[in-house]
Amino acid sequence: MTAVAESFSQLWDPQPGWLNTASYGLPPKPGWEALQTVLSDWRVGATSWEPWDESTTRSRESFARLVGADAADVFVGSTVSAAIAPIAAALPDGTKVLVDEVEFSSNVYPWMVHGDRGVEVIAAATDKFVEAIRPGIDLVAVSAVQSSTGTVLDLAAVVAASKEVGAILVVDASQAAGWLPLDVSGVDALIAHTYKWLMSPRGATLGYLSPRLQERCRPLEAGWYAGENVHTSYYGTQMDLARSARRFDQSPAWFSFVGAAPALELIEQIGVGVINRHNVDLANEFRAGLGMPPGDSAIVSADIPGAEEAFAAAGVRAAVRGGRLRASFHIYSTIADVNLALNALKNI
């Protein structure tokens, strides 16, 4: 653990053996405490909702800084699939969409449901993905880090290949944002749910939409919160949508964003680069203990029969995805967690 990472370690209280951030992240104390405060206020009606909603603005601005975007191009929502839906609806009939063959379904189904109008989803193997971006592909939909395998996308290569063939590029960053340095340059949409590596309550999704994609898409879920002035958009037929990407906002789940804002700001304070080194170093300690070569991911996927049962007996919490053990390491993970996991596996 780096000195910087260690100085922040007291902000979490994980039980030993939590190696499952790829399923959900643990809240830092500032996020947890902010959430407890507003829940107490909600219980007795101590305030109106406007102070809670300030967290939505803070989350939007923090996310924009984390991915190198202008906050005016960031929208808020609840799920990745709902955020993708307006993009999919804007595709012309007959569009060809390229996905990774192990892509998480939230970045697959929104395209596939348009199959009745000729939208075709084509899958390519992870190690052949860049070369599959060839003329005839209209949209590339791919995760920055694959959920099941932990494979880190060569984003620069995908951006270059997509640009060469004129394809729209949509990136699901749910397994990357918070530990992997990201930049939206050359990307048309980058969307992340915050309940994993951004360590927030489930229900807060943030996304970047390039100006060119904003012009192509209809804000299908527009409501009062998508208005240029939300306080004058409550009633009636005078629609004045926001000029920015806010017109794609879904009305936010206030308490989710109350927990998200402090967590995102803490990630900025620690630094994604610091978190990346900490996570990958621990993941590589685990890989070494398994006799695997080092990698560049905070997620380790390994075929170890009996690992799930051995982990359960030792109190290690990880996951099985695609029939393989998946262990994931984040800023609150320690070398003690690594050793606990490796010792559990010695018995199988």
Side-chain angles (χ1 to χ4, degrees):
M1 179 180 288
T2 67
V4 176
E6 187 171 8
S7 68
F8 287 95
S9 61
Q10 74 279 4
L11 295 179
W12 288 270
D13 295 308
Q15 293 182 6
W18 177 254
L19 299 180
N20 203 11
T21 296
S23 291
Y24 69 85
L26 307 184
K29 288 181 181 177
W32 175 260
E33 291 168 356
L35 186 57
Q36 304 318 302
T37 297
V38 300
L39 290 176
S40 295
D41 288 346
W42 173 47
R43 182 169 179 264
V44 298
T47 182
S48 184
W49 60 268
E50 288 86 355
W52 304 338
D53 192 51
E54 292 172 6
S55 297
T56 310
T57 299
R58 288 169 53 197
S59 298
R60 189 194 311 269
E61 293 174 348
S62 183
F63 181 79
R65 292 188 294 267
L66 285 169
V67 301
D70 188 321
D73 295 323
V74 172
F75 65 95
V76 303
S78 57
T79 66
V80 170
S81 55
I84 290 173
I87 306 172
L91 297 179
D93 294 358
T95 293
K96 287 184 170 53
V97 177
L98 178 70
V99 302
D100 192 293
E101 64 181 5
V102 295
E103 189 69 19
F104 194 76
S105 57
S106 292
N107 197 17
V108 179
Y109 292 178
W111 317 109
M112 294 190 73
V113 295
H114 292 275
D116 62 325
R117 57 187 188 85
V119 174
E120 181 183 1
V121 174
I122 301 164
T126 302
D127 60 353
K128 303 292 185 183
F129 192 79
V130 175
E131 60 192 73
I133 305 172
R134 54 172 65 98
I137 296 297
D138 303 301
L139 185 144
V140 176
V142 65
S143 290
V145 176
Q146 285 299 333
S147 172
S148 62
T149 64
T151 301
V152 177
L153 183 72
D154 186 344
L155 183 57
V158 171
V159 166
S162 300
K163 182 178 180 180
E164 185 174 347
V165 302
I168 296 169
L169 176 56
V170 177
V171 176
D172 180 351
S174 297
Q175 293 288 4
W179 75 268
L180 185 70
L182 295 168
D183 191 288
V184 297
S185 299
V187 174
D188 292 290
L190 184 144
I191 302 161
H193 206 301
T194 63
Y195 74 98
K196 298 177 184 291
W197 305 89
L198 294 171
M199 301 175 290
S200 306
R202 183 172 171 87
T205 291
L206 292 147
Y208 160 81
L209 281 181
S210 69
R212 77 156 179 161
L213 197 54
Q214 291 177 44
E215 292 302 315
R216 291 185 58 164
C217 296
R218 186 189 304 270
L220 297 176
E221 296 172 333
W224 68 278
Y225 202 79
E228 182 66 31
N229 183 330
V230 298
H231 299 293
T232 60
S233 298
Y234 296 153
Y235 308 109
T237 59
Q238 298 300 313
M239 184 175 71
D240 182 23
L241 294 183
R243 278 62 168 171
S244 67
R246 278 206 313 104
R247 66 186 180 274
F248 295 95
D249 281 2
Q250 299 170 41
S251 180
W254 292 317
F255 302 150
S256 295
F257 283 95
V258 164
L264 269 66
E265 290 163 355
L266 179 59
I267 289 169
E268 287 190 86
Q269 186 180 356
I270 299 171
V272 173
V274 170
I275 296 172
N276 178 274
R277 289 191 295 275
H278 172 84
N279 293 9
V280 174
D281 284 352
L282 286 180
N284 281 337
E285 289 283 350
F286 185 59
R287 289 185 180 95
L290 297 178
M292 298 171 64
D296 59 355
S297 182
I299 299 173
V300 179
S301 175
D303 186 9
I304 308 176
E308 186 175 14
E309 294 77 11
F311 272 7
V316 178
R317 285 91 68 212
V320 174
R321 294 293 183 269
R324 294 168 61 89
L325 171 71
R326 186 187 71 181
S328 41
F329 301 82
H330 204 11
I331 188 64
Y332 38 68
S333 305
T334 67
I335 192 65
D337 294 317
V338 174
N339 292 334
L340 181 64
L342 290 174
N343 288 334
L345 296 176
K346 288 180 180 177
N347 299 321
I348 63 174

